[in-house]
Amino acid sequence: LCFTLHLILLRDFINWPSSLLPLILNLRQMVHFKCVANTACSQCRVLGSASESGLVTLSHILGKMIPSDLERRILEAKQKGFVPFLVSATAGTTVYGAFDPLIAIADICKKYKIWMHVDGAWGGGLLMSRKHKWKLNGVERANSVTWNPHKMMGVPLQCSALLVREEGLMQSCNQMHASYLFQQDKHYDLSYDTGDKALQCGRHVDVFKLWLMWRAKGTTGFEAQIDKCLELAEYLYNKIKNREGYQMVFDGKPQHTNVCFWYIPPSLRSVEDSEERMSRLMKVAPVIKARMMEYGTTMVSYQPLGDKVNFFRMVISNPAATHQDIDFLIDEIERLGQDL
């Protein structure tokens, strides 16, 4: 929540430090954990803008933002007298693990002079991998990036970062010149007084956990960890994509470690698509997960999305997992769901 408010404030500060304008955020469908769709709209209220200041941009069937629709929405907003001022792209969505086409989005933001933010909370860790970092091509052109090492990289909670391209911008935007806290005549480098750069002022030194792990693992250690998780996700995908009783939510290999699928119990496999079938299928994943928890064997997330009824979303972020663990998961889903 704080990150979203920060980036809106930063963008506001550059162009309109003392004025209120009819501002518009360009968002996307299926954003990371409602990061902008709900959160930013509430932050707009804090900043004195209407909660309707968020425009939702269409997404591809794989959950990626469609650049042509983004540009169309920007032009429509400008014609109505609004000022599009921020585009929030995503590198690794919560549900699908999708990566937006950042280069195309960066081109549009440059063309219309709009702040480009990249939510890399989930997918940012792939920059550690020489094999997978191409999925974030274009992120270097962003004005700001959020990144959560406590997710894919396994740093203990909480460890999050907001990275801003322009040096000194956060201090210029947020500093309150509290002389009783941030004296200008201290004997050490004043850049260490980070409290005046952020809304929170005092904070935990969360970055120390990342630094310590980085020293211990090295970049190649993080790379091996991330590559292992993506390899396990691909293994799961290959095991179930043509297996009886499983249906993938979307075609094609997952971009991240998110593997989204339905388990179709025997009682539904010969039933034609209908409202009744969808109603019954919607109950399958919740029941299987409840049974998993009762038995204490494993646990997998599920959720609906748009017009899609509840499906499993297996997300792999533990490099200690093995192919045998994945095989067990598949067998357990079938064992617990065969009578549904």
Side-chain angles (χ1 to χ4, degrees):
L1 302 183
C2 187
F3 280 172
T4 307
L5 183 54
H6 261 308
L7 68 94
I8 295 174
L9 282 170
L10 292 171
R11 183 63 184 97
D12 227 2
F13 179 80
I14 289 180
N15 282 355
W16 311 288
S18 61
S19 62
L20 289 177
L21 291 172
L23 306 177
I24 284 289
L25 296 100
N26 281 277
L27 318 177
R28 62 189 304 287
Q29 289 178 341
M30 296 182 282
V31 292
H32 162 74
F33 198 54
K34 302 180 182 176
C35 170
V36 183
N38 288 342
T39 303
C41 289
S42 64
Q43 306 297 5
C44 285
R45 296 193 190 102
V46 175
L47 294 171
S49 300
S51 61
E52 293 78 12
S53 294
L55 291 181
V56 177
T57 303
L58 291 179
S59 294
H60 186 269
I61 190 171
L62 298 180
K64 303 178 185 181
M65 187 186 292
I66 301 174
S68 60
D69 187 68
L70 169 63
E71 185 165 22
R72 180 178 66 82
R73 298 296 180 101
I74 289 171
L75 291 173
E76 287 178 354
K78 290 169 74 71
Q79 288 171 1
K80 294 177 181 178
F82 290 100
V83 181
F85 79 107
L86 183 143
V87 171
S88 182
T90 308
T93 57
T94 301
V95 179
Y96 283 178
F99 289 78
D100 283 337
L102 301 181
I103 294 175
I105 293 170
D107 289 340
I108 293 171
C109 290
K110 180 179 180 180
K111 180 178 179 180
Y112 296 101
K113 295 180 173 58
I114 298 174
W115 181 285
M116 176 183 174
H117 175 71
V118 175
D119 174 7
W122 174 224
L126 268 62
L127 286 172
M128 294 286 185
S129 168
R130 284 168 290 185
K131 182 178 180 180
H132 297 285
K133 66 181 181 180
W134 64 269
K135 298 170 186 176
L136 287 97
N137 284 350
V139 69
E140 70 280 358
R141 297 174 61 187
N143 298 98
S144 58
V145 178
T146 47
W147 172 41
N148 288 356
H150 66 243
K151 292 183 178 174
M152 192 64 197
M153 296 172 65
V155 176
L157 279 167
Q158 171 172 332
C159 186
S160 303
L162 172 60
L163 309 175
V164 181
R165 170 179 293 280
E166 185 176 331
E167 185 177 358
L169 179 58
M170 293 190 73
Q171 182 132 15
S172 300
C173 176
N174 293 309
Q175 65 184 348
M176 299 303 292
H177 303 287
S179 60
Y180 58 91
L181 291 176
F182 308 110
Q183 299 88 351
Q184 299 303 299
D185 56 357
K186 290 177 179 175
H187 69 283
Y188 56 79
D189 185 350
L190 294 179
S191 66
Y192 290 115
D193 280 341
T194 59
D196 215 17
K197 297 179 181 179
L199 295 174
Q200 306 101 302
C201 189
R203 297 182 299 165
H204 289 293
V205 189
D206 292 324
V207 73
F208 177 69
K209 293 175 286 189
L210 172 60
W211 178 86
L212 194 61
M213 287 186 69
W214 209 330
R215 292 283 293 179
K217 289 174 175 284
T219 302
T220 55
F222 275 125
E223 178 182 41
Q225 173 180 319
I226 289 166
D227 286 350
K228 172 73 178 301
C229 291
L230 273 95
E231 186 276 325
L232 287 170
E234 185 173 354
Y235 177 80
L236 172 60
Y237 167 73
N238 288 331
K239 289 278 288 190
I240 66 174
K241 64 179 180 180
N242 296 316
R243 188 183 180 101
E244 184 181 15
Y246 290 85
Q247 180 181 338
M248 307 309 299
V249 173
F250 56 86
D251 294 330
K253 186 172 68 174
Q255 280 197 285
H256 206 345
T257 68
N258 308 44
V259 184
C260 301
F261 60 92
W262 287 283
Y263 172 69
I264 316 294
S267 66
L268 289 178
R269 291 175 195 172
S270 59
V271 178
E272 294 183 0
D273 280 339
S274 64
E275 204 170 302
E276 180 187 355
R277 184 181 187 274
M278 289 298 101
S279 178
R280 291 171 60 186
L281 182 59
M282 180 175 64
K283 300 173 183 177
V284 171
V287 171
I288 293 177
K289 179 171 181 177
R291 291 177 178 180
M292 287 176 174
M293 295 176 70
E294 289 168 3
Y295 280 99
T297 53
T298 187
M299 187 163 63
V300 184
S301 297
Y302 72 85
Q303 69 284 301
L305 186 65
D307 60 352
K308 296 177 173 61
V309 299
N310 286 325
F311 55 86
F312 283 113
R313 173 175 59 96
M314 179 62 186
V315 177
I316 301 169
S317 58
N318 180 7
T322 65
H323 289 176
Q324 289 73 28
D325 294 322
I326 301 299
D327 293 339
F328 173 80
L329 170 68
I330 295 170
D331 292 340
E332 191 69 353
I333 289 174
E334 294 173 356
R335 181 180 76 86
L336 298 174
Q338 62 182 347
D339 65 330
L340 297 177

